Amino acid sequence: MNTSDPAESLHLITVRESASCEVFATGAKLRVRIAGQSFFTGNEAFKKATEIVSLVTALKSMGLAEDDIHLLSVSTEVESGLLTKTSSATYELLVDCSSVELLGGVLAAIASQKNSKLASISWKYNDLDQTKRDIVQKAVRAAKESARLVAASLSVPLRGVHKLSYSTTGSDHDQRDTELSAYASASKRKARMNYEALARLDLAHTATMTATVTAEFIVDGFVEEAR
């Protein structure tokens, strides 16, 4: 019985190629924490929590709609052991900014609220799946061409692919998170000094997406040189 591994008899060329492209953010999702003087949940928070009402009004003046602002959580510390509507609360909101052109004004609106703090921002990109497919295909074509050139240099025929794998970096699950505590503090100072200047900030964001392909190509044995 022949127990040898067929792969051991293969003649292989291994190549590794990468392809990259820049992707541009089309919008952003911002997490905002608000220190409130009263405790409400659900839709009541948007109607009765003074600090949230003030922020929502400021955001709407910058072009956002109420549907772009979502309440993620409410937390409170109760000293007396009794939770009431007069208990202070910390609200966490998600602000969905669909356009980077609005982002400067949105940040300015958040910075104008003394009880609001910008916690983080997640960049939004369009068509990331298609972009990923495109750069993977580009890297595969580059790997195939490299293998062809190596085989030609070795004077061996290129027969096919034995194994191929790829990985991508840069998309970060379709968005990139950036902690902005320091930037938030700076934004508040800028808002006090020049609200309009903050609204005009150029906040376009790009990320580099890279696909790396590793492929093993099958070739025939080396051809003996003619004598």
Side-chain angles (χ1 to χ4, degrees):
M1 179 181 294
N2 184 5
T3 59
S4 62
D5 186 352
E8 293 181 356
S9 62
L10 293 177
H11 301 281
L12 302 174
I13 293 174
T14 302
V15 296
R16 181 182 175 91
E17 292 287 348
S18 297
S20 300
C21 72
E22 296 292 318
V23 289
F24 297 87
T26 56
K29 290 186 178 182
L30 301 90
R31 287 179 178 263
V32 182
R33 295 191 182 97
I34 301 176
Q37 298 302 311
S38 55
F39 179 85
F40 297 99
T41 58
N43 290 331
E44 273 198 332
F46 288 93
K47 298 176 181 178
K48 299 180 180 180
T50 304
E51 298 82 6
I52 292 183
V53 172
S54 178
L55 176 60
V56 170
T57 300
L59 291 172
K60 288 171 67 176
S61 72
M62 292 300 170
L64 296 191
E66 289 187 11
D67 291 342
D68 296 326
I69 307 163
H70 310 277
L71 179 62
L72 295 179
S73 65
V74 187
S75 60
T76 186
E77 293 184 5
V78 182
E79 296 181 359
S80 64
L82 181 64
L83 177 64
T84 68
K85 289 186 177 180
T86 59
S87 301
S88 61
T90 300
Y91 298 92
E92 184 168 348
L93 301 182
L94 179 66
V95 179
D96 191 347
C97 183
S98 61
S99 170
V100 291
E101 295 179 358
L102 299 176
L103 190 53
V106 168
L107 287 172
I110 296 170
S112 71
Q113 307 296 305
K114 65 178 182 179
N115 293 321
S116 299
K117 178 181 179 181
L118 179 62
S120 67
I121 182 169
S122 297
W123 299 102
K124 298 166 60 178
Y125 305 93
N126 284 343
D127 300 324
L128 273 185
D129 288 340
Q130 184 60 50
T131 301
K132 179 179 177 179
R133 287 191 289 268
D134 290 344
I135 61 171
V136 168
Q137 291 177 22
K138 185 176 180 181
V140 168
R141 289 193 294 268
K144 181 179 179 181
E145 178 62 13
S146 293
R148 186 190 66 80
L149 292 174
V150 171
S153 298
L154 295 173
S155 300
V156 294
L158 193 64
R159 295 303 186 189
V161 180
H162 175 242
K163 185 186 299 183
L164 184 145
S165 62
Y166 70 87
S167 62
T168 59
T169 60
S171 59
D172 296 334
H173 302 292
D174 295 354
Q175 53 195 5
R176 175 170 295 179
D177 291 335
T178 307
E179 290 302 323
L180 293 175
S181 56
Y183 178 76
S185 299
S187 296
K188 287 183 180 294
R189 292 194 298 270
K190 290 180 181 179
R192 296 190 192 103
M193 295 184 293
N194 193 337
Y195 183 94
E196 293 183 357
L198 181 58
R200 292 195 300 267
L201 279 177
D202 181 9
L203 294 165
H205 186 82
T206 61
T208 301
M209 184 182 292
T210 301
T212 300
V213 169
T214 302
E216 295 179 354
F217 290 85
I218 304 170
V219 295
D220 280 347
F222 290 100
V223 178
E224 294 184 3
E225 294 185 1
R227 296 181 179 179

